[in-house]
Amino acid sequence: MATIYRRWRTVEGLIVDLLTWISFNEIPFPDTGSLEGDLRTLSRSIVALYRDDIRFRTMIETIVAGATRDSAAERALHDFFAERNAGAAVIVERAIARGELPPETDGIELIAALGAPIYYRMLVIRRSLDTALADRAAAAAHAAALAGAFAITDQTGATRPWSG
């Protein structure tokens, strides 16, 4: 037990590491050769994980519920999604490199937009998850990205010059 506390310090830290490990191992970042294919594959994998294994869905539900009452759980939830979205942004980086998206596209925001309909259905309106939802989320995120909805902007709302 002492080793666990030395490594993680808090239960929330342990949960974040567990969720991160699960999400990175159970939902790899696809490389289909196109942004559209990558987004669809990723969204289908997210839906399948939470639809097919109640343990993962229960963990997320528990952390989200705890985050409404406890600042440590809130930080844990934030850290989990920040790490996951930053990792998944590699999909967007590859799309930029292929010329599918402009260089000023914010990959983290695009990935967050992909997941939003899935987590909304699962956690807010508490309906079942299905492939049709995954495909709609991917299509919407893809269309929004192509329309420039995820351009990195400065505080005035103007698109920042690319510094990559």
Side-chain angles (χ1 to χ4, degrees):
M1 192 61 125
T3 302
I4 292 173
Y5 280 106
R6 256 184 271 130
R7 166 76 169 92
W8 286 283
R9 305 238 188 271
T10 65
V11 171
E12 292 79 13
L14 173 64
I15 291 169
V16 168
D17 277 0
L18 176 62
L19 286 173
T20 301
W21 182 86
I22 290 167
S23 72
F24 277 84
N25 286 287
E26 298 293 326
I27 307 174
F29 306 129
D31 189 358
T32 66
S34 74
L35 176 64
E36 184 176 24
D38 289 349
L39 293 174
R40 185 175 46 254
T41 301
L42 180 59
S43 63
R44 285 181 174 190
S45 295
I46 294 166
V47 163
L49 177 69
Y50 293 125
R51 181 192 59 213
D52 298 343
D53 195 325
I54 194 67
R55 294 173 302 166
F56 300 129
R57 184 171 180 152
T58 301
M59 276 194 292
I60 284 291
E61 290 170 342
T62 301
I63 291 174
V64 168
T68 64
R69 297 180 308 277
D70 180 75
S71 62
E74 180 181 4
R75 279 190 308 280
L77 183 66
H78 174 271
D79 291 351
F80 165 68
F81 279 109
E83 187 170 341
R84 179 66 192 178
N85 289 348
V90 69
I91 291 169
V92 178
E93 293 166 13
R94 289 192 303 248
I96 291 169
R98 289 190 298 263
E100 291 180 80
L101 292 173
E104 65 273 3
T105 303
D106 187 329
I108 293 172
E109 288 299 320
L110 196 163
I111 296 301
L114 174 71
I118 297 166
Y119 290 102
Y120 174 79
R121 182 180 283 187
M122 182 173 73
L123 299 168
V124 177
I125 63 173
R126 309 209 30 91
R127 290 183 44 215
S128 63
L129 303 177
D130 55 37
T131 303
L133 169 66
D135 290 348
R136 280 193 304 276
H142 183 247
L146 293 179
F150 304 109
I152 298 170
T153 59
D154 64 18
Q155 288 82 8
T156 67
T159 300
R160 290 189 304 208
W162 178 245
S163 60

